[in-house]
Amino acid sequence: MVEGGFAKFFQKKSFFRFAQKYQPLGSGEPEEETHEECELKIIEKEKEVTVLPPKDACKCHKEDLAKALNVDLQTGLSESSVLQRRLKHGWNEFSVENTEPVWKKYLDQFKNPLILLLLASALVSVITKEYEDAASIAMAVLIVVTVAFIQEYRSEKSLEELNKLVPPECNCLREGKLQHLLARELVPGDIIYLSVGDRVPADLRLIEVTDLLVDESSFTGEAEPCNKTDSVLLEAGDITTLSNVVFMGTLVRYGKGKGVVIGTGENSQFGEVFKMMQAEETPKTPLQKSMDRLGKQLTLFSFGIIGLIMLIGWLQGKHLLSMFTIGVSLAVAAIPEGLPIVVTVTLVLGILRMAKKRVIVKKLPIVETLGCCNVICSDKTGTLTANEMTVTWLVTSDGFQAEVSGVGYNGEGNVYLLPSKEILKEFSNVSVGKLVEAGCVVNNAIIRKNTMIGQPTEGALIALAMKMELADIKDIYVRKKEIPFSSEQKWMAVKCTLKNQDQEDIYFMKGAFEEVIRYCTLYNSGGISLPLTPQQKAFYQQEEKRMGSSGLRVLALASGPELGKLTFLGLVGIIDPPRAGVREAVQVLFESGVSVKMITGDALETAVAIGQNIGLCNGKLKAMSGEELDQLAEAELSSAVKNVSIFFRTSPKHKLKIIKALQRSGAVVSMTGDGVNDAVALKSADIGIAMGQAGTDVSKEAANMILVDDDFSTVMNAIEEGKGIFYNIKNFVRFQLSTSISALSLITLSTVLNLPNPLNAMQILWINIIMDGPPAQSLGVEPVDQDAIKQPPRCITDTILSKSLILKIFMSAIIIISGTLFVFWKENPKSGITPRTTTMTFTCFVFFDLFNALTCRSQTKLIFEIGFFRNRMFLYSVLGSFLGQLAVIYVPPLQKIFQTENLRVLDLLFLTGLASSVFIVSEFVKLCEKRCCRPKHTKGCHN
């Protein structure tokens, strides 16, 4: 009794769990051992369960599928099975591998050659005790590196964002109960129930379906939902042909279904895109390449100066170490440390301007990249088109034809009777009215607040009825029976009767023409049914072929008292039409030397119809299929893709292939897209552009740029901005280098010729402030020239320092040096240098600088063409510098610091007239270029 009491006590106390092991003999050990053996067997079986590839799963019978995945199709998995499978297959999500730590990414920014050169300059400045220069250079480097790091760190989230597209919840059968679970909890073998509006939570092999239609446009680019079945397939083609498999991330548009999970996380079809994206490196932008080249060029220039000064000094018998110090100091003065800051500021301001135009740019150099983009590869569905099926053409049974305007699932637009262009409403034309009525009644779609629920084709018919003010006509009928659409019969019919009336039943039918016409014995002629003749059938067949060849999806409609005795009503042409403004954008891009290529999963006829509609390649279309792409070798592909404007029946791998081939041929490629199937191509392109509204999270994060309003035509604004930004950077480089070379040459000449220094240290520092300060920086915010979009794309091989720019830099430098030396010579008395000499020389150089900045606002346009007041920041900067210079000359405390003295008004007028020569000569050169070299302006770089 006591022993039994203690046993009960121990069993009740949870903290004495060990007591439960000590039970009377024979009480339960054999049962526990049997239970453990069962558990081991289950674990062994669970370990054998593997993921089924879609191409294998589609060939399996239900029984084989259940056996392969070790699941009861009626009750689902047990919780213990789920735990074991999760240990093996992991969660149904994507894990981004931990890459470099944040501090290492920050330090990587310092690998830029220009940054390294600036750091070297700062080090030399410290060694030579030029602490002010060292501090300013270090601060410049810190600002540039930090801004670049923040921008790039924020944009490297593309792989993590894939998780957002994985649907968060689903309906799953486990242990005989239907449960509402998070999608991440699914494992291979789970039984999933699908209904309208559900996102598919994993790759599923369907085992039961009822009129199931799935939108796979994010994978395949096909606008029309795929009809799904649960029957076994004898052969497996590509993913578009697997009718008994649905893929993670796709959307159920209609019907319902039940399926077994065959792939989760990275083992799903979605995961294949993830792996490809993970492996894809983002290429360097043209601006980064140009900046790298400029950094190397300036390095060589600097070392050349050092070598030259040391050689001359050594030949003159001067101390070698002192000559080395002078040489390095001069080289440091030649490096425009303001260049990275101005480039960054210019790009940031460009991004802010783009944001106002509803375009989000995620990386600083990306906007400029578009300036030299010469090929835009665009996805069709959702990018060039709205991904909203729309009726565009009607042909009635008695020969009337009508055109339909307006796009999308709304009542905006009209039906125009041809050729009179009369707007039709309700039954103003009986034949058109009856055709639209039939389309509205034999329909299960619903449109509420411009949102369509149901099949897109049916949504298009409802939108047509709304335009004709017949959307409510289906309410006068009571539906008695529905014969659903199937891929075998290719038609759908409903049996109805009029409300509150004792009339015979009436059937409405829609479907493929060749199937519907078989059930018709009559045709409608102005509301009267007449016998259907072979001639009439031939006419309808001809119209159906004509509409089909123009890329329309053709539906036939009929009505009548019974199947087999229907009255043919006519044909309806449906297409996913181009977005508004796309045609105009393509035309402008074509004229500016940018080639637009369309990549789609659609059939040839539909792709060509859209291509012609938007004016691709000025109407001279050449198409290539995904199969043809696979057959071409790498070298052949690179030459072939340049001439092709439409790629049809393509997969994500084909898109990547096309972009890589174009890049090998020397093109700068932009890719626009909105689906999961575009993500890899968006990342591998020189610039990826995603749609903000219709775009999936994956495409938005893989892209470098997002069009907020899904407006393809805003790409033009981006290209215009990109070209303008590069021109502004060139303007700044011209100003800064011409000033650098002038200051450097003055000091070098005085050193080599053993002349007194025309400028003292504080005056050189002031000139450096002007050279790198507000006047220089304000050149980077010059508004974009309106003619920029008309210019051809910039060659990728072009450097910032082109031959033309170098000549202009040296021309300005020679004028500045000559004018300054003339003033120095004129004001240099025989007794030696006086404060007046340095003040006149110093002021002359500063005035030359300000006039040089004025002409550097544009490389091609005269100051009168761009306007004095367009860039107000520049005016304020120049005015501030001018007032600052007057303060240096006339304010006593500053006179002591800069060793200056008062100048007369006539002196200032003389210096202004002399300094304006750099402006006058530069403007004259622009005028000569305009008149003599006009043909060169129209030539572009067509890689």
Side-chain angles (χ1 to χ4, degrees):
M1 286 292 291
V2 175
E3 199 173 330
F6 272 111
K8 284 178 185 177
F9 172 78
F10 280 127
Q11 285 173 8
K12 285 177 184 177
K13 297 295 181 182
S14 59
F15 50 86
F16 287 137
R17 288 176 190 165
F18 61 88
Q20 292 181 19
K21 293 180 184 178
Y22 301 101
Q23 293 178 1
L25 288 172
S27 62
E29 281 183 4
E31 286 179 18
E32 283 196 10
E33 284 173 7
T34 309
H35 181 66
E36 283 174 9
E37 284 175 8
C38 290
E39 284 288 331
L40 286 170
K41 285 178 184 177
I42 289 169
I43 290 168
E44 287 302 316
K45 278 187 179 180
E46 297 301 339
K47 283 181 180 176
E48 291 171 10
V49 174
T50 57
V51 172
L52 274 178
K55 290 187 179 182
D56 293 340
C58 69
K59 299 176 189 174
C60 290
H61 289 275
K62 292 177 189 178
E63 298 76 19
D64 299 331
L65 193 69
K67 192 175 179 182
L69 293 168
N70 192 25
V71 60
D72 185 331
L73 300 180
Q74 303 306 314
T75 59
L77 296 174
S78 65
E79 289 300 331
S80 58
S81 296
V82 169
L83 289 172
Q84 291 301 326
R85 294 182 193 207
R86 189 168 295 133
L87 287 172
K88 182 177 179 180
H89 300 286
W91 295 94
N92 181 30
E93 60 188 8
F94 303 103
S95 56
V96 182
E97 292 177 12
N98 289 326
T99 51
E100 296 174 340
V102 174
W103 63 267
K104 195 171 185 303
K105 286 182 179 178
Y106 186 79
L107 291 179
D108 282 346
Q109 299 292 329
F110 289 91
K111 290 180 181 178
N112 186 315
L114 201 58
I115 297 295
L116 290 173
L117 193 55
L118 288 172
L119 289 173
S121 303
L123 184 63
V124 170
S125 297
V126 170
I127 293 167
T128 55
K129 298 184 180 178
E130 298 289 338
Y131 298 117
E132 296 90 349
D133 279 358
S136 63
I137 292 168
M139 187 59 69
V141 168
L142 202 62
I143 291 168
V144 171
V145 164
T146 304
V147 169
F149 166 74
I150 290 168
Q151 283 291 330
E152 294 195 13
Y153 181 75
R154 285 175 65 188
S155 67
E156 285 175 358
K157 302 281 186 182
S158 56
L159 297 176
E160 294 171 22
E161 283 298 316
L162 276 159
N163 287 321
K164 290 184 181 177
L165 196 67
V166 177
E169 295 175 341
C170 60
N171 293 311
C172 178
L173 183 70
R174 282 186 185 167
E175 296 185 335
K177 296 174 185 176
L178 192 61
Q179 302 177 32
H180 203 59
L181 302 175
L182 290 174
R184 71 187 296 267
E185 296 177 18
L186 297 182
V187 294
D190 264 326
I191 310 294
I192 304 299
Y193 283 77
L194 299 172
S195 56
V196 176
D198 286 353
R199 281 266 180 201
V200 178
D203 286 0
L204 310 177
R205 162 65 162 89
L206 296 167
I207 53 174
E208 286 180 23
V209 296
T210 307
D211 305 333
L212 186 64
L213 292 173
V214 178
D215 182 352
E216 295 183 344
S217 60
S218 63
F219 268 108
T220 63
E222 286 272 14
E224 193 64 29
C226 302
N227 192 45
K228 293 296 180 178
T229 177
D230 56 4
S231 54
V232 178
L233 299 183
L234 298 175
E235 288 185 11
D238 60 22
I239 61 168
T240 59
T241 64
L242 306 183
S243 59
N244 59 5
V245 176
V246 288
F247 301 103
M248 177 193 286
T250 55
L251 182 66
V252 178
R253 284 286 188 188
Y254 187 74
K256 56 186 179 180
K258 180 179 171 184
V260 185
V261 174
I262 56 170
T264 58
E266 292 180 30
N267 293 317
S268 65
Q269 193 67 33
F270 203 124
E272 290 299 314
V273 176
F274 175 82
K275 287 173 192 170
M276 286 169 68
M277 201 170 154
Q278 209 169 20
E280 198 55 44
E281 289 291 326
T282 307
K284 271 194 171 184
T285 69
L287 182 63
Q288 287 170 326
K289 292 172 186 173
S290 294
M291 295 303 291
D292 287 348
R293 280 196 293 270
L294 182 57
K296 288 170 186 173
Q297 288 165 354
L298 291 173
T299 306
L300 292 172
F301 181 70
S302 300
F303 284 122
I305 292 276
I306 293 170
L308 183 66
I309 295 296
M310 287 178 66
L311 180 64
I312 292 169
W314 178 67
L315 292 172
Q316 288 179 343
K318 291 182 180 177
H319 193 257
L320 196 62
L321 186 60
S322 66
M323 290 314 302
F324 175 77
T325 305
I326 291 168
V328 171
S329 300
L330 290 172
V332 169
I335 296 170
E337 62 266 29
L339 180 59
I341 292 178
V342 169
V343 169
T344 303
V345 169
T346 305
L347 292 169
V348 167
L349 289 169
I351 286 171
L352 292 175
R353 284 196 295 268
M354 290 304 299
K356 289 177 183 175
K357 295 174 182 176
R358 311 288 288 158
V359 177
I360 297 169
V361 178
K362 293 163 63 182
K363 280 194 178 184
L364 285 180
I366 287 302
V367 180
E368 180 276 335
T369 312
L370 270 174
C372 50
C373 167
N374 48 21
V375 178
I376 296 178
C377 292
S378 179
D379 177 45
K380 179 188 77 72
T381 308
T383 306
L384 294 173
T385 66
N387 197 15
E388 293 180 332
M389 299 300 279
T390 307
V391 176
T392 57
W393 198 263
L394 304 174
V395 176
T396 67
S397 52
D398 48 354
F400 285 109
Q401 298 204 1
E403 190 178 25
V404 186
S405 67
V407 177
Y409 305 121
N410 53 56
E412 294 173 14
N414 290 300
V415 179
Y416 300 95
L417 189 66
L418 299 177
S420 65
K421 289 279 185 180
E422 175 196 347
I423 296 176
L424 302 179
K425 296 291 180 186
E426 297 183 337
F427 288 93
S428 56
N429 180 293
V430 177
S431 299
V432 174
K434 279 188 159 292
L435 181 64
V436 174
E437 177 193 30
C440 186
V441 176
V442 62
N443 201 312
N444 290 318
I446 299 167
I447 294 178
R448 285 200 192 104
K449 296 178 182 178
N450 297 343
T451 302
M452 193 276 298
I453 301 167
Q455 189 184 354
T457 304
E458 293 191 334
L461 294 172
I462 295 288
L464 172 66
M466 288 165 71
K467 291 168 190 176
M468 287 275 289
E469 297 178 1
L470 288 171
D472 297 329
I473 200 160
K474 67 191 304 182
D475 296 336
I476 69 170
Y477 292 97
V478 177
R479 185 181 293 191
K480 290 186 170 182
K481 181 184 176 186
E482 177 185 331
I483 304 169
F485 177 89
S486 73
S487 54
E488 289 78 26
Q489 68 186 28
K490 295 182 181 176
W491 57 264
M492 170 195 176
V494 291
K495 181 182 177 182
C496 302
T497 185
L498 284 166
K499 277 184 184 176
N500 307 321
Q501 290 186 30
D502 261 346
Q503 288 192 2
E504 61 180 15
D505 295 335
I506 181 169
Y507 280 90
F508 291 95
M509 178 187 281
K510 76 168 188 292
F513 166 74
E514 63 274 13
E515 297 300 323
V516 172
I517 200 73
R518 289 174 51 224
Y519 292 88
C520 298
T521 55
L522 305 166
Y523 77 95
N524 175 60
S525 178
I528 301 166
S529 296
L530 300 176
L532 190 61
T533 63
Q535 290 83 2
Q536 288 295 125
K537 283 187 181 179
F539 167 72
Y540 302 146
Q541 195 165 12
Q542 186 182 346
E543 283 297 311
E544 191 261 347
K545 280 187 179 177
R546 183 184 62 77
M547 290 166 74
S549 63
S550 64
L552 296 174
R553 184 181 178 200
V554 184
L555 282 181
L557 290 146
S559 66
E562 59 181 277
L563 298 178
K565 291 183 181 179
L566 299 179
T567 300
F568 187 74
L569 299 174
L571 303 168
V572 173
I574 302 172
I575 199 167
D576 181 13
R579 288 182 180 277
V582 167
R583 185 180 179 84
E584 293 77 9
V586 168
Q587 185 62 31
V588 171
L589 291 168
F590 178 79
E591 287 170 2
S592 66
V594 180
S595 167
V596 180
K597 299 182 186 296
M598 182 169 75
I599 307 176
T600 178
D602 268 342
L604 175 63
E605 293 80 11
T606 308
V608 169
I610 294 293
Q612 287 173 339
N613 201 329
I614 63 175
L616 273 189
C617 213
N618 226 15
K620 297 170 185 174
L621 300 176
K622 187 179 178 185
M624 181 182 283
S625 70
E627 284 183 11
E628 289 173 295
L629 274 171
D630 290 331
Q631 290 164 8
L632 291 174
E634 199 172 274
E636 291 176 309
L637 189 61
S638 296
S639 58
V641 292
K642 288 192 285 186
N643 304 316
V644 177
S645 48
I646 292 174
F647 297 91
F648 64 98
R649 291 294 185 209
T650 57
S651 67
K653 288 178 183 176
H654 291 138
K655 291 182 181 184
L656 190 60
K657 233 178 177 182
I658 293 161
I659 285 170
K660 293 289 186 188
L662 286 165
Q663 287 172 332
R664 279 196 302 272
S665 69
V668 179
V669 185
S670 166
M671 170 76 193
T672 69
D674 66 339
V676 177
N677 61 335
D678 300 319
V680 181
L682 286 170
K683 191 178 178 187
S684 63
D686 293 286
I687 178 160
I689 308 171
M691 301 292 123
Q693 292 179 354
T696 56
D697 287 343
V698 185
S699 64
K700 288 178 198 173
E701 287 303 319
N704 311 109
M705 230 171 82
I706 300 167
L707 307 182
V708 177
D709 295 330
D710 292 6
D711 187 356
F712 180 81
S713 58
T714 51
V715 174
M716 282 192 307
N717 296 330
I719 289 177
E720 187 177 42
E721 197 69 49
K723 289 177 178 177
I725 282 171
F726 191 77
Y727 296 149
N728 285 351
I729 291 169
K730 283 184 83 170
N731 296 341
F732 166 76
V733 168
R734 177 187 171 181
F735 168 72
Q736 198 169 56
L737 290 188
S738 58
T739 306
S740 271
I741 290 167
S742 302
L744 186 63
S745 301
L746 277 174
I747 300 163
T748 306
L749 284 170
S750 64
T751 305
V752 171
L753 300 175
N754 276 326
L755 294 173
N757 201 333
L759 303 168
N760 62 45
M762 290 309 296
Q763 289 168 352
I764 291 169
L765 183 62
W766 177 254
I767 288 166
N768 266 325
I769 289 169
I770 291 175
M771 188 175 78
D772 296 325
Q777 309 239 348
S778 63
L779 288 172
V781 298
E782 189 71 33
V784 175
D785 187 358
Q786 291 177 350
D787 294 334
I789 190 66
K790 297 174 186 174
Q791 300 299 319
R794 178 175 60 85
C795 286
I796 189 75
T797 52
D798 283 357
T799 58
I800 292 174
L801 288 173
S802 61
K803 286 181 183 177
S804 168
L805 191 66
I806 290 169
L807 287 172
K808 287 176 181 176
I809 287 168
F810 279 108
M811 179 192 73
S812 299
I814 289 166
I815 295 168
I816 295 169
I817 294 162
S818 304
T820 309
L821 283 175
F822 170 73
V823 171
F824 181 61
W825 169 78
K826 178 177 170 292
E827 296 294 333
N828 195 2
K830 291 180 182 178
S831 58
I833 287 192
T834 64
R836 175 176 169 80
T837 308
T838 55
T839 304
M840 285 290 283
T841 309
F842 171 44
T843 306
C844 178
F845 194 95
V846 170
F847 281 15
F848 262 121
D849 238 15
L850 297 179
F851 275 109
N852 188 31
L854 185 62
T855 195
C856 286
R857 282 180 62 192
S858 174
Q859 300 299 317
T860 55
K861 290 198 169 184
L862 301 173
I863 190 68
F864 305 106
E865 290 178 293
I866 58 176
F868 275 101
F869 305 104
R870 217 175 87 170
N871 186 350
R872 291 192 176 183
M873 186 176 169
F874 176 80
L875 287 178
Y876 297 145
S877 302
V878 169
L879 183 63
S881 300
F882 178 72
L883 293 174
Q885 183 63 25
L886 292 181
V888 165
I889 297 169
Y890 294 109
V891 177
L894 294 175
Q895 283 180 335
K896 288 182 181 179
I897 295 169
F898 289 92
Q899 297 174 20
T900 58
E901 66 176 36
N902 292 349
L903 296 179
R904 295 167 299 181
V905 174
L906 285 174
D907 291 333
L908 292 176
L909 290 173
F910 164 71
L911 292 174
T912 302
L914 180 65
S916 66
S917 60
V918 70
F919 170 75
I920 293 164
V921 172
S922 294
E923 293 294 290
F924 180 72
V925 169
K926 288 180 196 174
L927 196 62
C928 292
E929 279 183 342
K930 275 193 161 217
R931 293 190 175 175
C932 305
C933 310
R934 195 162 287 168
K936 289 184 183 178
H937 245 289
T938 58
K939 288 181 184 176
C941 173
H942 300 284
N943 291 319

